[in-house]
């Protein structure tokens, strides 16, 4: 089946209810294209979505999918992948979902290095709840809940990932379709946790981190002489306070996924016995 | 009353109390004696009083009693703590050379055996074996064949080399001989005879883990918490041999979500925790139910609320399991009543979860989880285990459950409320699961009609289960009695033993022990047939009593214990007697 798969096979028949112009359209298209490009089809793909405008992505895509509770998509994705390593698992959510309520899971998902990709639609605002500050909002960004700005430095997800031992860190921009698709494809192909922070502008509630802003300010590492396997170089880039980058910032080419290190290679949905598994009585004898 | 014998070792946490107690319990089990153990431990690793108690008999023992025949006291506090249970003729083994024990006074009428545990252990190869010296002394005081102790020591230390086993055997011998020589004038009353029976000795947490493997569980995610951690410890290192995997998650939120992911991928999946962890899992519990994912969630209850008393018994989470979560959530709540039932109910929990595509709470409690009990090995007869995966569709059968345009219907509106299930990877089955209200295909909807249909469909599973499953209570005592005593969880064994104390006083009762708390049996007829109904449980407010009052529209009397300690058979008999026929002048809720 996979050879004939087109990216539109990943489209569900539900029309997105995102605001016209929302960055999430482009983000999703790139994800579907990258999935098709890497030879996946809807029946072997599992998408886990968070809560938020971004989290609606699970509804608009056609695949096996779960739309979780707020902030907990990453452990769900890890559970799916461990139980059936044959599946292509992709987790998606927003900056609030991933770096606020789900920040703890983010750090541990990075450490665990399960072979899945994680796409965060970073619009630096809470969209679905109508415009409150998010953990990536700028210090002086005025919102309904922070009229004077959050007055706290934003979370730096790339640095957080690097510090937690990430094996793949990338950043992309939803409206740069080809680059975005390419970056997500690299995340999928990476043996381990492929993390992509995508600037996915919210045209309704964020008038600072706009398409124009990103278009003008993002520096594409693909156009520079940059070696993503150099961790020191990555450190410099992710901590650079003056510039924001697009592309793969870091990739550990030696990365071994959780499944590899733990010898997980079977589909746990198979139970080939109608009663207790063979050898189960030994478990009882142990208690003599 | 079985001719039972009660033994304990007590000291400070860190003194090796647990492992020593376990070695002795195992020796008794290997000698063909029944054993029931209980632990009295504080929530700290070093310091603080801790004890391991062993009740043993040639007949089945199901509970603890207020009595101690032999006590190994490593600290003076051990004697103080157990004074009420010691009696005339009780033997106290202690080391008078230990500074803290130097001035210890053996209460009148009791037999003190001052044994230089540490020096004898050093003679055998190391002070660390002083508890084993005490076990040797205990063998002598109970006329128990020391060879069974050898076998238990071999099991315990065999992996670490023969030399260590031999040293320990020697330590035990030195303890035995010391008592023989120094106390040759004492005739010990006890005689722990041995039998040819082969028993296995295990606790509730271990039985739950074993049941999970037997049921084909392949995935376990958990976060350590007393008293549920042993489930994870048991599974780790064993489940891998059966193609499974254990993950120590970063917290309970992750644990249940990892387990949910694995379950959604088609694995039989489980998590275990205690009350505080259940609190954290509750939001996802709703998602599990709404997405109709089969999942087993074990709550090994301890004293709450909040961090409460982490190492103490309570059955305070019943309401949480019955009603926890926002909105209305169909679920199963199954409560094993004994250690062997921990095994069987775990197997059943997986079948219920998959047959009805719901979360299942396995309501265990601390008293059962840490209690070791002996059983005939065929109490865990693996040949009797059955696996029922419910309505799983494959490539061939999936067509019957698709819309005209080929969309799979994971929430198909069926008569029995149970929809088809397609494991990811099944061609033509791709679908979305969500906590949002959804249509048959799993797509979000706010359509008022569909909302009602899906709510009804999910709730219908409960009715279907009531028709198809046997949720009968377990029954003990005199079926004709006018006095009905109802309980759940680990109190069952204690109640069954309390029967004998009650019989001695000519009080006869009928006991119903209810292992299915939701859906649960309708007890109206039983309640109407009785003159008095007493509900026994380890919580302050009578959560189960409230529930059955509501079900049967009949007021019940209550016996509640919530000081952190499980019921003891003799004490419970007194409580029941008192409740059935209260002292005059005392006011009783009718
Ligand atoms: C436990 C919980 N708390 C709060 C919410 C409400 N909520 C829904 S989406 C959201 C924020 C989403 O922000 P983000 O992840 O940035 O996604 P966006 O909508 O911007 O794509 C919140 C707080 C919820 N659904 N669950
Ligand atoms: S509110 Fe913002 S994030 Fe949400 S759909 Fe509209 S534009 Fe997109």
């Amino acid at each position: 089946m996979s050879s004939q798969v087109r990216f539109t096979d990943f489209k569900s028949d539900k029309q997105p209810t995102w605001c016209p112009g929302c960055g999430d359209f482009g983000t999703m298209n790139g994800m579907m294209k990258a999935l098709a490009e890497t030879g996946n089809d809807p029946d072997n793909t599992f998408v886990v979505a968070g809560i938020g405008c971004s989290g609606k992505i699970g509804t608009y895509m056609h695949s096996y999918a779960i739309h979780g509770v707020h902030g907990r998509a990453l452990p769900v994705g890890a559970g799916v992948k461990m139980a059936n390593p044959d599946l292509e698992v992709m987790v998606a959510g927003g900056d609030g979902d991933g770096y606020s309520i789900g920040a703890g899971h983010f750090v541990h998902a990075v450490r665990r290095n399960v072979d899945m990709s994680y796409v965060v639609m970073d619009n630096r605002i809470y969209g679905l709840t109508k415009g409150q500050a998010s953990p990536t909002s700028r210090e002086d960004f005025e919102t309904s809940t922070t009229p004077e700005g959050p007055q706290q430095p934003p979370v730096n997800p790339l640095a957080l990932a690097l510090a937690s031992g990430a094996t793949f860190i990338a950043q992309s921009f939803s409206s740069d379709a080809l680059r975005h698709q390419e970056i997500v494809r690299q995340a999928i192909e990476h043996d381990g946790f492929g993390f992509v922070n995508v600037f996915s502008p919210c045209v309704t509630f964020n008038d600072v981190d706009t398409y124009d802003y990103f278009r003008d300010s993002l520096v594409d590492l693909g156009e520079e002489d940059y070696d993503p396997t150099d961790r020191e170089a990555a450190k410099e880039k992710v901590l650079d306070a003056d510039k924001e980058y697009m592309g793969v910032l870091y990739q550990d080419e030696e990365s071994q996924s959780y499944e590899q290190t733990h010898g997980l290679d079977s589909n746990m949905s198979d139970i080939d016995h109608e009663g207790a598994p063979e050898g189960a009585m030994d478990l009882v004898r142990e208690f003599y | 009353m079985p001719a039972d014998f009660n033994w304990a070792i007590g000291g400070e946490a860190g003194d090796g109390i647990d492992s020593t107690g376990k070695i002795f319990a195992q020796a008794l089990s290997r000698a063909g004696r029944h054993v029931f153990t209980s632990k009295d431990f504080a929530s700290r690793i070093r310091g603080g009083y801790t004890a391991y108690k062993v009740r043993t008999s040639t007949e089945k023992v199901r509970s603890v009693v207020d009595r101690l025949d032999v006590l190994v006291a490593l600290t003076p506090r051990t004697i103080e703590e157990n004074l009420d249970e010691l009696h005339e003729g009780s033997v106290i083994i202690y080391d008078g050379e230990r500074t803290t024990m130097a001035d210890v006074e053996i209460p009148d009428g009791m037999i003190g055996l001052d044994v230089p545990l540490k020096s004898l252990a050093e003679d055998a190869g190391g002070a660390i074996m002083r508890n084993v010296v005490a076990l040797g002394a205990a063998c002598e005081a109970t006329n128990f064949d020391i060879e069974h102790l050898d076998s238990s020591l071999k099991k315990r230390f065999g992996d670490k080399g023969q030399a260590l086993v031999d040293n320990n055997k020697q330590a035990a011998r030195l303890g035995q001989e010391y008592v023989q020589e120094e106390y040759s004038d004492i005739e010990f009353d006890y005689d722990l005879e041995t039998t040819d029976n082969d028993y296995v000795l295990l606790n509730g947490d271990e039985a739950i883990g074993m049941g999970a493997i037997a049921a084909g569980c392949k995935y376990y995610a958990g976060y350590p918490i007393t008293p549920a951690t042993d489930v994870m410890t048991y599974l780790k290192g064993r489940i891998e041999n059966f193609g499974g995997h254990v993950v120590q998650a970063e917290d309970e939120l992750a644990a249940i979500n990892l387990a949910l992911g694995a379950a959604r991928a088609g694995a039989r999946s489980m998590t275990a925790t205690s009350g505080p962890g259940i609190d954290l899992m509750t939001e996802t519990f709703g998602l599990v139910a709404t997405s109709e994912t089969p999942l087993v969630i074990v709550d090994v209850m301890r004293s709450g609320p909040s961090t409460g008393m982490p190492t103490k018994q309570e059955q305070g989470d019943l309401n949480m399991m019955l009603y926890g979560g926002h909105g209305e959530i169909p679920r199963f709540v199954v409560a094993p009543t004994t250690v062997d039932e921990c095994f069987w109910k775990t197997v059943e929990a997986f079948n219920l979860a998959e047959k009805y595509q719901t979360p299942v709470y396995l309501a265990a409690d601390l008293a059962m989880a840490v209690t070791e009990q002996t059983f005939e090995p065929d109490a865990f007869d693996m040949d009797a285990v059955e696996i029922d995966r419910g309505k799983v569709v494959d490539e061939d059968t999936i067509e019957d459950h698709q819309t005209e345009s080929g969309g799979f219907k994971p929430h198909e509106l069926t008569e029995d409320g149970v929809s088809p299930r397609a494991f990811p990877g099944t061609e033509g089955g791709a679908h979305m699961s969500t906590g949002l209200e959804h249509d048959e295909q799993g797509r979000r909807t706010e359509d008022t009609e569909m909302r009602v249909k899906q709510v009804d469909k999910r709730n219908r599973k409960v009715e279907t289960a009531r028709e198809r499953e046997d949720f009968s209570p377990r029954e003990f005592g005199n079926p004709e009695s006018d006095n009905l005593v109802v309980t759940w969880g680990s109190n069952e064994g204690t109640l069954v033993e309390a029967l004998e104390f009650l019989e001695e006083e000519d009080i006869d009762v009928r006991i119903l022990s209810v292992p299915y708390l939701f859906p649960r049996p309708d007890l109206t007829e039983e309640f109407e047939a009785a003159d008095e109904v007493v509900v026994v449980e380890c919580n302050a407010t009578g959560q189960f009593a409230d529930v059955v009052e509501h079900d049967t529209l009949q007021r019940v009397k209550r016996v509640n214990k919530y000081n952190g300690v499980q019921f003891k058979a003799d004490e419970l008999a007194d409580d029941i007697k008192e409740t059935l026929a209260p002292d005059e002048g005392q006011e009783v809720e009718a």
Side-chain angles (χ1 to χ4, degrees):
Chain A
M1 180 164 173
S2 40
S3 58
Q4 302 112 33
V5 171
R6 297 191 348 227
F7 90 89
T8 46
D9 293 336
F10 283 99
K11 271 197 172 155
S12 81
D13 51 6
K14 280 263 174 185
Q15 278 308 311
T17 54
W18 285 321
C19 309
C22 174
D24 293 351
F25 286 100
T27 308
M28 179 171 77
N29 276 338
M31 289 163 65
M32 294 192 292
K33 286 181 177 163
L35 279 167
E37 192 187 353
T38 46
N40 293 292
D41 63 55
D43 289 329
N44 82 333
T45 302
F46 204 112
V47 173
V48 186
I51 297 288
C53 295
S54 43
K56 291 180 175 179
I57 195 158
T59 310
Y60 308 142
M61 287 178 67
H62 173 62
S63 71
Y64 282 95
I66 190 156
H67 181 214
V69 297
H70 195 26
R72 324 271 165 226
L74 283 170
V76 177
V80 171
K81 184 70 183 182
M82 291 183 206
N84 185 354
D86 299 337
L87 299 171
E88 184 60 50
V89 178
M90 187 175 270
V91 181
D95 41 297
D97 192 68
Y99 310 142
S100 202
I101 189 166
H105 301 311
F106 176 58
V107 169
H108 295 281
V110 166
R111 290 176 59 218
R112 216 172 262 134
N113 205 31
V114 167
D115 185 14
M116 59 190 189
S117 41
Y118 181 39
V119 178
V120 179
M121 289 164 241
D122 185 357
N123 53 13
R124 298 182 168 170
I125 188 106
Y126 283 7
L128 193 67
T129 47
K130 300 195 162 59
Q132 299 79 27
S134 106
T136 49
S137 293
R138 293 160 193 250
E139 225 166 323
D140 56 357
F141 182 59
E142 295 164 18
T143 73
S144 58
T145 49
T146 56
E148 273 123 43
Q151 301 181 336
Q152 308 167 58
V155 164
N156 179 338
L158 308 181
L160 188 57
L162 192 71
S164 310
T167 58
F168 184 99
I169 303 170
Q171 192 150 262
S172 82
F173 177 32
S174 70
S175 90
D176 195 337
L178 286 178
R179 267 307 261 150
H180 170 56
Q181 178 185 339
E182 188 184 339
I183 291 166
V184 176
R185 174 178 56 74
Q186 281 176 276
I188 292 174
E189 284 170 349
H190 175 69
D191 287 334
F193 187 71
F195 165 52
V196 189
N197 191 62
V198 189
F199 293 120
S200 192
C202 171
V203 292
T204 306
F205 297 111
N206 191 333
D207 54 9
V208 178
D209 302 288
T210 59
Y211 286 99
D212 284 345
Y213 163 74
F214 287 115
R215 207 172 287 130
D216 295 344
S217 63
L218 275 179
V219 177
D220 189 350
L221 292 170
E223 288 165 7
E224 291 199 343
D225 182 20
Y226 181 74
D227 174 10
T229 64
D230 180 349
R231 202 162 184 271
E232 284 305 312
K235 221 186 268 176
E236 230 174 79
K237 295 287 182 213
V238 302
L239 291 175
D240 188 343
D242 300 325
K243 284 200 192 102
E244 306 204 75
Y245 298 91
M246 180 161 72
V248 179
L249 285 108
Y250 179 65
Q251 181 165 23
D252 175 1
E253 288 185 320
E254 312 283 291
S255 167
Q256 291 248 333
S257 69
Y258 181 96
E259 306 87 274
Q260 282 173 301
T261 40
H262 290 78
L264 298 182
D265 51 14
S266 63
N267 176 353
M268 294 181 189
S269 73
D270 296 335
I271 298 186
D272 57 8
H273 40 90
E274 281 162 23
E278 208 173 315
M281 211 53 210
D282 290 346
L283 294 171
V284 184
R285 285 188 203 106
E286 233 185 274
F287 291 109
Y288 269 122
Chain B
M1 205 61 18
D4 64 325
F5 171 82
N6 295 280
W7 177 93
I9 179 166
E12 282 192 5
D15 274 343
I17 304 298
D18 244 34
S19 54
T20 315
K22 177 96 187 242
I23 289 167
F24 196 61
Q26 219 145 31
L28 291 161
S29 162
R30 291 188 150 215
R33 296 183 61 86
H34 272 297
V35 171
F36 186 98
T37 75
S38 61
K39 292 180 196 176
D40 192 351
F41 59 115
S43 184
R44 51 201 281 190
I45 305 303
R46 286 202 75 84
Y49 170 72
T50 168
Y52 186 104
K53 296 187 176 177
V54 177
R55 184 162 172 232
T56 176
S57 166
T58 48
E59 289 165 50
K60 185 94 187 151
V61 272
R62 300 169 214 274
S63 71
V64 277
V65 287
D66 263 331
R67 191 184 155 89
L68 263 184
D69 304 308
V70 171
L71 173 68
V72 177
L74 299 180
T75 55
R77 183 165 167 201
T78 309
I79 300 174
E80 276 165 45
E81 290 276 345
N82 294 287
L83 219 43
D84 290 352
E85 298 186 12
L86 292 163
H87 54 86
E88 206 168 301
S90 286
V91 173
I92 299 171
I93 298 169
Y94 67 103
D95 183 353
E97 287 179 5
R98 194 175 187 173
T99 24
T100 54
M101 295 299 286
D103 311 316
V104 74
E105 275 185 36
I106 299 302
D108 279 350
M110 295 177 200
I111 303 165
L113 303 182
D114 182 353
V115 184
L117 302 177
K118 188 168 165 223
S119 354
L120 291 174
E122 279 164 353
D123 293 346
I128 192 157
M129 293 183 292
R130 66 189 176 141
N131 293 355
V132 178
V133 175
L135 291 182
C139 286
E140 183 59 25
T142 53
N143 292 307
F144 180 61
D145 187 347
I146 200 163
E147 285 187 12
H148 295 290
L149 188 62
D150 291 347
S151 130
S152 181
L153 289 168
K154 182 157 192 295
K155 181 175 162 116
R156 174 94 195 172
F157 299 114
D159 292 348
K160 297 184 182 149
Q162 190 58 38
L164 188 63
V165 177
D166 289 342
N167 286 352
N168 273 285
K169 283 185 187 174
Q170 175 64 9
R173 290 292 179 294
L174 291 181
Q176 184 188 33
E177 283 159 16
Y178 189 88
V179 175
Q180 256 167 18
E181 282 159 24
E182 300 296 319
Y183 296 98
S184 55
D185 51 325
I186 302 179
E187 277 272 335
F188 293 104
D189 286 346
Y190 308 111
D191 185 4
L192 297 190
E193 50 178 307
T194 60
T195 78
D196 292 337
N197 296 326
D198 269 335
Y199 295 131
V200 289
L201 179 73
L202 66 164
N203 71 28
D205 274 349
E206 290 165 331
I208 289 169
M210 195 163 80
I213 295 179
C217 171
K218 296 274 179 62
Y219 192 85
Y220 177 91
Y223 187 75
I225 184 168
T226 303
T229 310
D230 282 351
V231 175
M232 174 154 58
T233 315
Y234 174 84
L235 287 171
K236 184 70 211 162
R238 289 185 182 79
I239 202 170
E240 293 85 354
N241 301 332
F242 297 87
H245 188 62
V246 170
V247 186
Q248 181 178 325
E250 58 268 31
D251 52 37
E252 288 84 355
L253 302 158
I256 188 169
N257 280 284
L258 284 156
L260 163 68
R264 221 47 232 176
R268 283 198 154 190
S269 174
M270 179 168 100
T271 182
T273 184
S274 191
I278 295 289
D279 285 353
L280 293 183
M281 289 182 180
T282 302
E283 187 195 14
T284 300
F285 179 80
L287 168 63
V288 173
T290 311
S291 63
E292 305 195 74
T293 308
L295 190 66
V296 177
I297 304 162
V298 183
D299 179 4
V300 187
M301 290 175 278
R302 64 187 210 184
S303 296
S306 191
T307 356
M309 300 198 289
T311 59
K312 301 294 174 188
Q313 161 71 351
E314 200 161 286
Q315 297 175 305
D317 301 352
L318 177 63
N319 285 340
M320 178 77 180
M321 284 185 270
L322 290 176
Y323 310 115
H326 64 280
E328 298 167 306
I329 302 177
R331 68 191 82 199
F332 288 92
V333 184
V334 180
T337 50
T338 54
V339 170
D340 52 338
E341 279 300 301
C342 283
F343 174 86
W344 290 110
K345 288 285 175 283
T346 304
V347 172
E348 199 178 333
F350 278 99
N351 287 335
L352 289 172
E354 290 204 321
K355 275 158 80 178
Y356 299 97
Q357 297 171 28
T358 53
V360 179
Y361 272 127
L362 194 75
D365 56 53
L366 180 138
M368 187 159 50
V370 304
T371 292
E372 281 135 341
Q373 250 186 293
T374 37
F375 295 93
E376 313 264 346
D378 65 12
F380 306 95
D381 178 10
M382 292 291 175
D383 291 335
V385 170
E386 285 174 21
I387 292 179
D388 186 340
R389 306 213 66 190
K391 289 190 192 173
V392 179
V393 296
D394 57 21
E395 264 102 41
D396 302 326
T397 50
I398 202 160
E399 281 177 19
D400 302 336
H401 306 284
Q402 281 169 326
T403 59
E404 277 172 17
S405 53
F408 177 59
K409 295 192 283 187
H411 304 284
E412 190 174 27
L413 296 165
T414 55
E415 218 164 284
D416 62 5
V418 185
S419 308
R421 201 151 73 98
F423 297 149
T426 309
E427 231 173 276
H431 68 269
M432 160 92 165
S433 311
T434 172
L436 291 167
E437 194 53 271
H438 43 253
D439 63 13
E440 289 185 283
Q441 281 180 266
R443 299 172 314 176
R444 177 202 186 135
T445 181
E446 283 169 7
D447 179 89
T448 50
E449 265 178 56
M450 186 48 77
R451 159 71 179 174
V452 172
K453 281 180 179 164
Q454 287 293 341
V455 170
D456 289 349
K457 181 200 104 75
R458 293 193 291 267
N459 285 335
R460 210 145 58 229
K461 294 192 260 192
V462 175
E463 296 318 313
T464 305
R466 281 205 174 101
E467 284 159 25
R468 292 186 191 163
E469 310 291 331
D470 179 7
F471 293 135
S472 316
R474 289 150 67 94
E475 188 159 356
F476 304 89
N478 175 8
E480 308 296 325
S481 174
D482 296 329
N483 298 317
L484 183 60
V485 181
V486 181
T487 197
W488 61 285
S490 66
N491 312 316
E492 178 190 290
T494 320
L495 253 182
V496 171
E497 293 213 338
L499 269 179
E500 298 178 44
F501 290 97
L502 288 166
E503 268 165 20
E504 279 174 13
E505 312 226 9
D506 286 328
I507 298 172
D508 92 328
V509 297
R510 175 184 185 198
I511 294 173
L512 295 178
S513 164
V514 184
Y516 301 96
L517 305 179
F518 193 82
R520 58 183 166 266
D522 180 359
L523 300 177
T524 312
E525 267 179 44
E526 284 82 356
F527 278 30
E528 276 169 1
D531 288 343
E532 300 276 12
V533 180
V534 181
V535 176
V536 173
E537 56 193 315
C538 286
N539 55 44
T541 57
Q543 298 180 22
F544 189 63
D546 287 346
V547 160
V548 290
E549 279 187 344
H550 173 270
D551 286 353
T552 61
L553 300 177
Q554 191 175 328
R555 295 291 255 172
V556 299
K557 292 181 173 175
R558 295 154 193 242
V559 170
N560 301 83
K561 190 167 180 186
Y562 47 94
N563 64 354
V565 183
Q566 71 204 91
F567 284 108
K568 291 175 180 167
D570 35 5
E571 160 209 66
L572 182 55
D574 286 345
D575 288 350
I576 289 172
K577 184 179 140 195
E578 180 71 14
T579 310
L580 286 172
D583 288 345
E584 236 162 280
Q586 215 179 311
E587 224 169 281
V588 164
E589 217 183 342

